[in-house]
Structure formats: structure tokens, C-alpha cells
Amino acid sequence: MTINFDREVFAHRHNGPNQESIKNMLEVIKADSLDKLIDETIPEGIRLQKPLDLPKALSETEFLSEFKKLAEKNKIYKSFIGMGYYDTLMPNVIKRNILENPGWYTAYTPYQAEIAQGRLEALINFQTTVSDLTGMELANASLLDEGTAASEAMSMLYGQRKGKKRKEADVFFVSELCHPQTIEVLQTRAEPIGVEIQVGNHKELDVTDPRLFGILLQYPASDGSVEDYTNIIAAAHDNDVFAVVAADLLSLTLLKAPGEMGADVVVGSSQRFGVPMGYGGPHAAFFATQEKFQRKIPGRIIGVTQDAEGKPAYRMALQTREQHIRREKATSNICTAQVLLGVIAGMYAVYHGPEGLKKIASKVHGLTKLTKAGLEKMGVTVETDVFFDTITVEAEIAKVRKIAEEHEVNFRYRDDNRIGISFDEAKNLEDAELILNIFAKALGKNNEFDVYSEANTTTVELPEELTRTSDYLDHPVFNLYHSEHEMLRYMKRLENKDLSLVHSMISLGSCTMKLNATAEMIPVTWPEFGQIHPFAPREQAKGYTQLFDELNDWLCEITGFAGMSLQPNSGAQGEYAGLMTIRAYHNSNGDNHRNVGLIPSSAHGTNPASAVMAGMDVVVVDTDDYGNISYEDLEAKAEKYSDRLAALMITYPSTHGVFEHKVKDFCEIIHKHGGQVYMDGANMNAQVGLTSPGEIGADVCHLNLHKTFCIPHGGGGPGVGPIGVAKHLVPFLPSHSVIKTGGEKGVTAVSAAPWGSASILTISHAYIRMMGGNGLTDATKIAILNANYLKDRLKDHYEILYTGKTGRSAHEFIVDLRPFKQSAGVESVDIAKRLMDYGFHAPTMSFPVPGTLMIEPTESESQEELDRFCEAMIFIRKEIQEIEDGISDKEDNVLKHAPHTQRVMISDKWDRSYPREKGAFPLEELKFEKFWPAVSRVDDAYGDRNLVCSCIPMEAYEEGIEVVE
């Protein structure tokens, strides 16, 4: 036997089918070879003429060794910068069992509630944490960052103006004491929709100004000061002006809740609840408001409903698919946000409980108080009288900074010799003493303050009007799991309720649920990436700089573009950033009037929502009978709106799973009329290495790194949506006011942090580095092969809605289920729920065509897993046939009653017309290996009529939903 001395090839682990399987599948679809299949699928005129020029692929071991050296270029200094980002201590039980656990991070957004009860409960915990601490009635299940949350509040309230205010008011006032990154994101979001941001001293604000519709206040303020906003909020309300408060969650364990001050909306970040700084993200922002705004709140809300058994169950409420329904009239383009980080923050609250959180907050406040006293004893002027965790002092910056950096300490250095010092839970008495010694040495003084003896008599002393007296987190879930064993078991119970990629393939079309390899995930929890503040000096983040530069170059090579921005921290945010870049380009050319966005009717719902946010008027372009963009309609509308044309938004391959042959012609039409072509990168997994947005003729494209480039979906976030642009748009890439980045004429920041969710860019870097150019290209080929294999195996049982000219699909395809409604009374939702009984998450339901399933298997699934899915779908078709033939009742059948829970199966009562075994074990193999849905089919309408979005009484699980009401 010969010995193979070759290195391990990562691509062989990433791709599901081996060579034998590839050969078998090619025979099934009647393709001579993989390359021949690609020739039949992708139009010749857009094919790349040379292979990707990327570094040679590394093995997993080689990559981790190389990447550790990159990580070590980042220098971890003690951060006292604050500004909404703090060092924190993630409990190890949460780190190991959620952040590092694929059972949590490989799940999808919980659209299918019956197999997502675990993370839905975890998100209810997060929402309850937020609503309790803020003193508000309702909170959502996370937003992208604090700046985005504040902007969403502004947009929502702008739409809620009444009477004269609706006609006259277009000014949103922002206190100058808000974090600068929040102010900048607000300015970015306000300008295109016609809102004027006024920044100033809130104490001098004239709330009677008829143009004023809302105000934003920071609590505690960015300089650390704390004041009661009750009076200014009351005055605002007297003049029909809304009030938003950006709050620090930890501080609210000690400070009066903003809801008790009368705030209409409270926003902020839950980062310091156990989530590393990560050089800016990802973190779960929050948005809390009053019930009267429940149908306008952006993002996702988790609510309580009942299942078919009358038992309480969780599900996504109200705006679950708002962008798909309301499109350009949607209140927000937020699709999903930061679920995994929201889960972690919620679990942090569960583990510590109200007393534990108060203890942490008291310690943080005490350290700040001691430091203030020590500095004042030294003769340093401390500006801040009332504070939580931050003080601002007057001192010569140059001297202090030199000594601080010698001790590897970062402060916030402001203009005019003012220095900000912020404490967090990771700091101790030694750190307070270190600060005093730094100032003493820098200013040539003696530190005569004994931190340790003074600590013995230090207490929390806040003004009475600012001291919190109301209870919070009194639900049992926040008071039961404070030992590690109990916490471990609680999280495992929730995890066991959820289906994720650890169980079976999740073939969601347009979602690309591929492998999130362990080697890609390992660096995410390295402290060299997690413990760096986003506004730390650049010279301390040389590893990150190298990471950004390399990833930028590789993504440019893959997309055929000249420049990249890594700032957008979601796909929807990438859409917005791309459109804002186009807007800036037109404005720089004096074409401010170009504001029409042409969008195909088949586009993802976030496209029109993003276009409106970027100040565009949406004009819909028809699709033809084959699912392609109508060339004639596009040409006519481009001609009609020629003078005003800003952009065409297209997805390629199309959302119908087809490589349209006229795509270059579409681009030429738009360019001829002075517009730009924006490409939605949702389907980039069918392009990499074979074609590219740049080759096709697009001017800008956002990428979903959480799809094509292996960042896990996390149960609904995080995501990263960087944009690539052609050379003429590079100067307009998003910038940032705190840390310089972006183009020379860059649009202002679209995300709070300069590089968005920087810490998870490590995952995409790892994927590209280990795959190499050839590996990435082969992955694309296999993704297309797997889709065509599934399509051809199912085509004799279901109608396939669209294919290309040669009968091939791209990396996804659509199965038409509409005929079954007439023939058997079966709808797409019934098949989706029945798939759960077979151990599968349903493909994308009713998008882009109502009454269909869009199936995308990705390259990571083996032929065996594809066959298992096909077997389930074919067997379900037989169950439908039984209804059509009159063998099964139209209402009392396995599809209408799906999914079947363990509880139903073992119940003494069984009055259904089919055997129990048929309901739960339709295939023999399921008797030996079965995933059980946690609840029966949920009642969505009931949940919306009886909205409850916080933790429910424990007895409700036994006694039924009536306990909740």
C-alpha cells in the first residue's frame, strides 16, 4: 500500500458529496460531468475567464497556527474608554454551552415555531430583561447596534406624527451628550427621509418648536453624568413631541427606569451583559416601547400563543414577515438581527438574577466612586457629580496618555484636555489603584489615597429622585438557575427543543444554511479578538487591520470589484449602505434628482424597504411567465424614468433560482440611462469562482457573509453584509467619525462601529483561507449539483416552477404546492409542518411565490442526506395522494394535524382517523432516531389577538394558556 503524504484538504470536509456521490448524482441528472453541468446552467457570456487568484488553501491545523500569529498582533489593553462598549465576563457555562455550541449557533430564524421553542423562550427572557429594566411595556428580540436602534426609534416616531405635527414637524433633536457614533448613524439615516437632526444642549431646548417631533437623550450621558429626564419628557409630551432615551441596561439596576420618566422608546445595547467587545460587534441592541406602538416596532417580537392542544407556546409575533408583505411601506428593513447575542445577554440575566446584576452594578459604581475620590484628593478636577460608571476629568492629555499606554491602559481622550474614565465588571480595586498611580505619575503628584481601606466604607449613594425603587426580574426564570448545574440543565433543556444543522439539513432557499466548520469558529472566542474596544488606537489592533486588509482583497477578487466596506452588520444594512453609496455618487455629480429605484416584483422584501430608507421612490418591474425580469418592462420603465433613475436592484441568480441570460443587457439599459446597478448578494453561493457581480456589470453588491461565507445564522443573527463597489464608487464607501475608515467622500456611518461586527469576520477569513480559490469554485459547482439532483429526484412528484433554458436550476429551485389546495385542501404550511415529523426544517415557504417551497441544499450536504430529504418529500406526496383519492379525510389527516408531539402520541385519548404510528413514524428509520417537536401546531392568529411578549407564569405550562390571560 502506498502512503499518502499530502496535507489534509479542508474542502473535502466542507463539501458533502465525495467523488463517488458526485458521479452518481451526475448520472441521475443526466449530466456528462460537473463542468458540463455548469456550462448548461450559467450563461457563457458571464463566465469568468480565469481562476480566482487567492492564496493557496491551508489545512485546519495550518490555518489555526497561522491565524494565531495574526491574532497576537492585537494588543489587549485595559479599556476604560466606555462610549457604550465595556469589558465583560461571559460566564463560562454560557460560553461553552451557547456561544461555542452548534446546537445554538447553527439554527435558523425561528419561523417554524414548533421546532424552535428553546431559542424562542431564550428570546422571551431577553425581552423580559429589557422591558423590566427599562420600565417599558414591550421590547423586541434585538436590533443591530445602539446607533441603529436609535435611528429605528426616530423613523418609527416620525411615522407616528399626528395633526399639525404630521405636516410641519421634521426635526429630531439629539442631545450633545449622546455617544458620537449614535449621533452619526442618526444623521446618516435622517437625511434621505427628510428629517433634520439638531444636536445641542437639551437643557436649552425649546420643546414648543412646531417643527420638533422627537428628542433623544442619553442615560447615563456619554460624559458619565446622570440626570432625571422626567420634566423634559413631560414638557415634550405637552407639545406632542416624542421622547427616546438611550440607556445602559446595567445602570438600570440602580437608576430610575426611563419608563418611569415617561419615555416613549428606550434603546441601547446589551453588550455588557456577557458579550465581548469584539472590536465593535456583534452585540444585541434593544428597543423597548409602549404597547400602543406594538404594530410599529421594528425588528422581530417574540410572543406567546397556544398550540393545537391549548398549551402555551412561543412564536414570532406581528411583523414576522413584514418586509415581504408591506415591501416599500414596511416600517423598517430589519430582517433579523442579533439573536445569538440576545440569547447570551438574556442568559446572563438568568444566571445572575436581579440580585447578582445589582451586585455587579454596585461594584462598577463603587470603583468609579473610589477613583473619583482618589483623583480629587490628588487635586484633579472631576467634572462629573452624579454618575454610574463614568467620570470626566480635566488633565493634560499628552502626559496622561503617555503613562497610561506604558501601563497598557486606554482612556477616552476628548478635546480640550478632558479625559473619560469608564469602569466595568471586569475591573477590580487593583485597577482603580492603577488609574490613580497613572495620574499621579503623569501629573507629578503623590497618590495618598488608600483604595482598599476606603472600599470598606464605600456605599451606593445616588440622589433620591434617581434611585430605583421598582422591582425587576421577579419571574422565576431569573431566580432559579444561579448554580452552574441548574443553569447548564436549563440551557440544555431549551437546546433540546430546537432543530438545527446538528440534526439535519435546513434547505431554506435564499438562506444558504451551509456548514459552519469548527475550525472557522474557534478563533471567535480568542481574547485577542474579543477584548479590544472598537475605538482603541489603531496601532493596538494590527491583527485586525491585517484581517480586514486580507478579507477586503479576497472579497474584491471574488466579486470583481475595486473596493469593499466591512461596516454593514447585516444583509439589510448592506443593502442600505450600497444604496447610500449610489446616492452619494449621484449627488456628487449634481444629480440629486436621481431618486427612482427599479425593483423586480420577485425581489426580497428588504430591497424596496431599503430603497425607501435611502430616499428612493420605488418602481416595480414585472417578471415574465418564466420568472425572469421582463426585458420589455425594464426597458420601458428605464426610459420613462430616465432623468430620475438612480438604480436597479437585482438578485442574481434570481430569487426564482435561475441564471437569467439577459442580465448583462439589464445592466447596459440602466447604465445607458445614467443609473447604477445594485446586486443583492443573497445568491452569491451560485456565483463564487464561476462568475461575479463585476463581470456581470453591477456597480455595487452586498454579500451575506452569514450565507455564502460561513458565518452561522445564530438562530436569527448575527450577520454581516459588506458591500463591494466598482472603482467609481470607492470614494463614497461608508466612513466613521471616531475612527477613520471608508472613502474620501464616504457616506457617514451606517453602523455604530467602524468595522461593524468585526469579531466574526474571522469566520469568513478562515473559510476563504482554508478553501482557496479552487476549493471555493468547487463548492459553488457542488451547490448547483446538489440543487439539480434534488430537483430531478422530485420533479416526478411535484411541479418545478422555474428552470433555465436548458432545464437546469441554479443553487436553488421552487416546488409548486398550489395545486394541492384544490385537489386535497393541503397548503404549503401543512407540508412545512409535516416535514417536522420526518425530522426536517421546511424549505423557504411562500417566497418569492405564494404557495410554494424554495429549496436550497448547499454544497455541504451529502448525497445520503439529500436522499433522506427526498424520501420525506416523496412520502408526503403519497400522503397527499391518499387525501386526493379519498383514502384520508380532508381535515382529519396527518398533514393537517402535523406536527405530532410526544405528548400527543402517548396520550390516553386518540380520536384521529389514522393510526398513531402513521402520525409519528411514517418511515421505519424514525422509530430509531427521531426529533420530536416541542409543541403542536401553533395558533398564530390567537397570539396576535392576545399579545404577550414577556415571560409567562410557570403554571401555564401545566394548566394551559388560560393562566396567561
Side-chain angles (χ1 to χ4, degrees):
M1 184 181 83
T2 58
I3 299 174
N4 187 338
F5 291 99
D6 293 341
R7 297 172 304 131
E8 178 80 17
V9 179
F10 172 75
H12 294 167
R13 303 294 189 184
H14 174 83
N15 295 326
N18 57 28
Q19 289 303 311
E20 185 63 29
S21 295
I22 290 172
K23 180 182 175 183
N24 293 339
M25 289 193 288
L26 287 169
E27 289 177 2
V28 170
I29 67 172
K30 296 180 173 55
D32 296 337
S33 68
L34 199 51
D35 287 335
K36 182 67 173 173
L37 169 65
I38 299 306
D39 291 341
E40 294 171 357
T41 305
I42 303 179
E44 183 181 0
I46 63 169
R47 292 289 298 278
L48 297 181
Q49 298 305 305
K50 58 186 181 68
L52 293 175
D53 183 12
L54 294 171
K56 184 180 178 182
L58 296 181
S59 69
E60 295 180 41
T61 303
E62 289 170 331
F63 164 73
L64 289 170
S65 176
E66 177 186 274
F67 207 55
K68 192 66 176 176
K69 294 173 184 174
L70 180 150
E72 288 167 354
K73 295 179 182 179
N74 291 329
K75 303 304 176 186
I76 302 173
Y77 283 25
K78 286 183 181 290
S79 177
F80 297 89
I81 298 172
M83 299 175 70
Y85 300 94
Y86 304 89
D87 205 358
T88 184
L89 302 176
M90 182 187 295
N92 288 317
V93 67
I94 297 175
K95 176 184 175 183
R96 172 58 60 89
N97 294 287
I98 292 183
L99 181 58
E100 297 178 339
N101 182 351
W104 284 93
Y105 66 68
T106 69
Y108 188 62
T109 307
Y111 289 119
Q112 299 295 339
E114 297 84 355
I115 51 176
Q117 288 295 298
R119 61 189 180 283
L120 286 168
E121 181 172 331
L123 289 172
I124 280 279
N125 294 344
F126 174 77
Q127 290 179 181
T128 304
T129 300
V130 171
S131 58
D132 273 18
L133 289 174
T134 59
M136 302 302 283
E137 296 170 331
L138 181 69
N140 74 1
S142 81
L143 287 175
L144 299 173
D145 55 44
E146 184 168 323
T148 303
S151 301
E152 293 289 346
M154 172 197 69
S155 298
M156 183 188 83
L157 296 174
Y158 185 56
Q160 296 304 298
R161 297 164 299 155
K162 305 288 189 221
K164 283 186 178 180
K165 287 284 184 180
R166 192 160 191 86
K167 296 178 182 177
E168 300 175 6
D170 61 356
V171 170
F172 189 75
F173 176 86
V174 181
S175 169
E176 62 192 4
L177 296 181
C178 290
H179 296 314
Q181 68 272 21
T182 299
I183 295 174
E184 186 178 12
V185 174
L186 275 162
Q187 290 168 333
T188 305
R189 291 280 292 270
E191 186 268 332
I193 61 173
V195 172
E196 179 185 333
I197 297 292
Q198 288 184 2
V199 180
N201 185 340
H202 61 271
K203 294 178 181 178
E204 299 173 359
L205 174 65
D206 178 10
V207 293
T208 67
D209 182 351
R211 290 186 59 206
L212 187 67
F213 75 88
I215 59 175
L216 174 66
L217 306 164
Q218 190 87 42
Y219 181 70
S222 195
D223 66 358
S225 60
V226 181
E227 63 178 286
D228 187 351
Y229 293 129
T230 302
N231 291 338
I232 187 174
I233 291 174
H237 288 166
D238 287 343
N239 290 275
D240 296 324
V241 173
F242 298 110
V244 183
V245 175
D248 179 291
L249 272 190
L250 187 63
S251 75
L252 300 182
T253 62
L254 302 178
L255 295 174
K256 180 179 180 179
E260 295 167 7
M261 298 178 187
D264 296 291
V265 181
V266 183
V267 299
S269 171
S270 64
Q271 179 267 316
R272 69 191 310 174
F273 274 38
V275 181
M277 291 183 287
Y279 207 41
H283 311 130
F286 61 84
F287 187 110
T289 188
Q290 300 167 3
E291 285 185 359
K292 65 183 179 182
F293 298 121
Q294 66 185 26
R295 294 191 178 273
K296 301 298 180 182
I297 189 170
R300 301 292 179 253
I301 309 171
I302 309 307
V304 181
T305 187
Q306 65 180 11
D307 71 358
E309 302 168 59
K311 299 290 185 182
Y314 299 111
R315 34 77 78 173
M316 291 205 296
L318 300 175
Q319 299 97 319
T320 296
R321 293 173 67 81
E322 187 205 20
Q323 292 88 18
H324 296 293
I325 298 167
R326 302 194 69 219
R327 299 177 72 80
E328 69 271 14
K329 294 183 176 65
T331 57
S332 165
N333 76 336
I334 296 295
C335 187
T336 49
Q338 307 283 26
V339 165
L340 186 65
L341 297 316
V343 167
I344 291 171
M347 289 300 182
Y348 180 92
V350 168
Y351 194 45
H352 287 297
E355 290 306 313
L357 292 176
K358 191 172 184 178
K359 179 182 176 182
I360 293 168
S362 299
K363 172 192 164 186
V364 169
H365 177 68
L367 291 170
T368 315
K369 189 174 182 180
L370 286 167
T371 302
K372 179 178 186 288
L375 289 171
E376 287 178 332
K377 185 171 184 179
M378 202 183 297
V380 176
T381 299
V382 181
E383 293 181 359
T384 323
D385 293 323
V386 183
F387 55 87
F388 166 60
D389 65 355
T390 299
I391 53 176
T392 298
V393 306
E394 295 179 12
E396 193 172 335
I397 287 177
K399 290 181 178 179
V400 173
R401 185 168 192 162
K402 181 177 183 297
I403 304 303
E405 291 185 355
E406 287 175 2
H407 288 82
E408 299 189 341
V409 165
N410 287 330
F411 297 125
R412 178 185 181 185
Y413 300 106
R414 308 177 64 137
D415 297 333
D416 59 23
N417 284 328
R418 295 165 72 232
I419 300 173
I421 304 171
S422 296
F423 278 89
D424 53 56
E425 73 161 321
K427 306 301 188 295
N428 293 297
L429 291 172
E430 294 83 357
D431 298 300
E433 184 177 48
L434 175 61
I435 290 175
L436 296 180
N437 289 337
I438 287 171
F439 272 83
K441 185 175 180 181
L443 304 177
K445 302 190 178 188
N446 293 321
N447 175 21
E448 299 176 352
F449 187 83
D450 189 339
V451 167
Y452 300 96
S453 62
E454 293 292 337
N456 294 326
T457 57
T458 298
T459 58
V460 175
E461 295 172 309
L462 294 166
E464 185 178 350
E465 69 274 13
L466 282 169
T467 300
R468 178 152 196 159
T469 57
S470 56
D471 294 333
Y472 52 87
L473 304 183
D474 54 0
H475 188 277
V477 76
F478 299 105
N479 295 279
L480 288 174
Y481 309 118
H482 298 166
S483 73
E484 183 164 332
H485 243 156
E486 289 302 317
M487 187 66 181
L488 176 69
R489 290 165 182 160
Y490 175 63
M491 291 188 295
K492 180 56 72 171
R493 284 200 298 275
L494 296 194
E495 179 194 342
N496 288 344
K497 295 179 180 183
D498 289 11
L499 187 142
S500 67
L501 286 175
V502 306
H503 300 99
S504 56
M505 85 171 184
I506 300 177
S507 57
L508 285 151
S510 198
C511 297
T512 315
M513 298 290 290
K514 61 165 69 176
L515 172 72
N516 313 119
T518 305
E520 295 160 2
M521 299 300 296
I522 286 173
V524 171
T525 53
W526 288 352
E528 294 93 335
F529 294 113
Q531 290 180 226
I532 299 186
H533 193 287
F535 304 142
R538 291 291 302 277
E539 58 268 21
Q540 295 171 21
K542 290 181 179 177
Y544 263 120
T545 298
Q546 181 180 337
L547 165 67
F548 300 152
D549 289 346
E550 290 178 352
L551 189 56
N552 179 86
D553 290 346
W554 298 345
L555 293 177
C556 283
E557 172 66 16
I558 290 167
T559 59
F561 283 133
M564 273 289 152
S565 170
L566 302 172
Q567 191 178 116
N569 48 10
S570 78
Q573 199 84 314
E575 291 177 19
Y576 177 71
L579 294 172
M580 288 297 289
T581 301
I582 289 173
R583 178 185 175 88
Y585 168 74
H586 285 314
N587 289 350
S588 75
N589 293 331
D591 290 337
N592 304 53
H593 57 282
R594 288 192 174 274
N595 67 341
V596 167
L598 300 181
I599 303 179
S601 58
S602 61
H604 194 280
T606 56
N607 285 182
S610 297
V612 170
M613 287 170 54
M616 292 185 186
D617 293 336
V618 172
V619 174
V620 178
V621 178
D622 294 337
T623 52
D624 62 24
D625 294 339
Y626 302 99
N628 300 320
I629 295 173
S630 168
Y631 181 90
E632 293 75 17
D633 194 49
L634 177 65
E635 190 173 41
K637 284 172 177 167
E639 182 70 43
K640 180 178 179 180
Y641 297 101
S642 182
D643 291 343
R644 294 177 54 206
L645 182 59
L648 165 69
M649 297 184 78
I650 58 170
T651 302
Y652 199 76
S654 72
T655 49
H656 293 140
V658 175
F659 282 98
E660 298 179 61
H661 282 251
K662 293 183 177 180
V663 65
K664 280 196 169 182
D665 297 335
F666 299 158
C667 296
E668 288 174 10
I669 289 172
I670 299 305
H671 290 149
K672 184 177 77 172
H673 290 279
Q676 298 286 287
V677 177
Y678 168 91
M679 183 176 287
D680 185 316
N683 292 342
M684 194 69 196
N685 210 51
Q687 287 194 41
V688 177
L690 302 176
T691 183
S692 72
E695 176 66 30
I696 290 165
D699 301 288
V700 57
C701 175
H702 92 265
L703 305 174
N704 291 308
L705 299 191
H706 49 287
K707 296 181 182 180
T708 312
F709 297 96
C710 291
I711 291 175
H713 283 72
V720 180
I723 57 169
V725 297
K727 185 177 180 180
H728 62 282
L729 294 179
V730 170
F732 305 98
L733 286 172
S735 60
H736 201 281
S737 61
V738 181
I739 301 289
K740 182 174 172 51
T741 185
E744 307 154 9
K745 306 174 186 176
V747 298
T748 47
V750 297
S751 302
W755 289 278
S757 295
S759 66
I760 56 174
L761 294 175
T762 56
I763 300 167
S764 297
H765 185 284
Y767 173 61
I768 297 172
R769 191 69 183 93
M770 291 190 288
M771 290 291 279
N774 291 337
L776 291 173
T777 305
D778 288 344
T780 309
K781 294 176 181 179
I782 294 171
I784 292 171
L785 170 64
N786 280 359
N788 279 278
Y789 176 72
L790 278 185
K791 174 181 70 67
D792 281 14
R793 280 215 58 197
L794 294 176
K795 69 182 181 182
D796 292 335
H797 307 276
Y798 297 89
E799 182 182 343
I800 307 301
L801 208 51
Y802 303 112
T803 59
K805 288 184 176 181
T806 60
R808 303 298 187 189
S809 70
H811 65 311
E812 62 189 7
F813 62 98
I814 296 174
V815 170
D816 192 357
L817 308 176
R818 291 172 295 184
F820 302 139
K821 185 174 183 179
Q822 182 67 34
S823 66
V826 170
E827 301 188 55
S828 59
V829 65
D830 300 316
I831 295 174
K833 303 307 180 188
R834 183 57 173 157
L835 274 167
M836 297 176 190
D837 289 326
Y838 289 82
F840 286 103
H841 190 293
T844 300
M845 216 171 67
S846 291
F847 174 81
V849 180
T852 65
L853 292 180
M854 179 162 58
I855 302 173
E856 180 188 356
T858 85
E859 71 275 12
S860 297
E861 301 302 341
S862 66
Q863 183 183 3
E864 290 75 17
E865 184 70 356
L866 299 179
D867 286 338
R868 211 167 66 82
F869 178 78
C870 286
E871 187 177 8
M873 287 291 291
I874 292 168
F875 214 85
I876 289 172
R877 180 64 185 93
K878 292 177 181 176
E879 293 171 343
I880 296 171
Q881 188 68 51
E882 289 178 355
I883 302 171
E884 292 172 331
D885 294 342
I887 298 171
S888 296
D889 185 81
K890 268 200 170 186
E891 293 301 325
D892 185 13
N893 59 66
V894 290
L895 284 105
K896 290 295 183 183
H897 286 303
H900 296 77
T901 64
Q902 223 170 7
R903 190 168 54 244
V904 167
M905 287 297 104
I906 63 173
S907 171
D908 292 338
K909 179 184 177 184
W910 184 264
D911 55 5
R912 298 177 184 177
S913 62
Y914 54 89
R916 293 178 196 252
E917 184 174 317
K918 184 170 185 174
F921 307 109
L923 297 175
E924 186 68 19
E925 67 187 59
L926 293 170
K927 295 178 181 177
F928 304 95
E929 189 173 342
K930 168 90 174 166
F931 179 89
W932 289 98
V935 296
S936 294
R937 190 178 303 196
V938 299
D939 187 336
D940 290 320
Y942 181 95
D944 280 350
R945 289 194 308 268
N946 305 274
L947 190 64
V948 176
C949 297
S950 56
C951 295
I952 59 176
M954 302 293 276
E955 59 268 24
Y957 293 100
E958 294 182 6
E959 299 178 29
I961 193 68
E962 294 81 9
V963 177
V964 180
E965 296 174 347

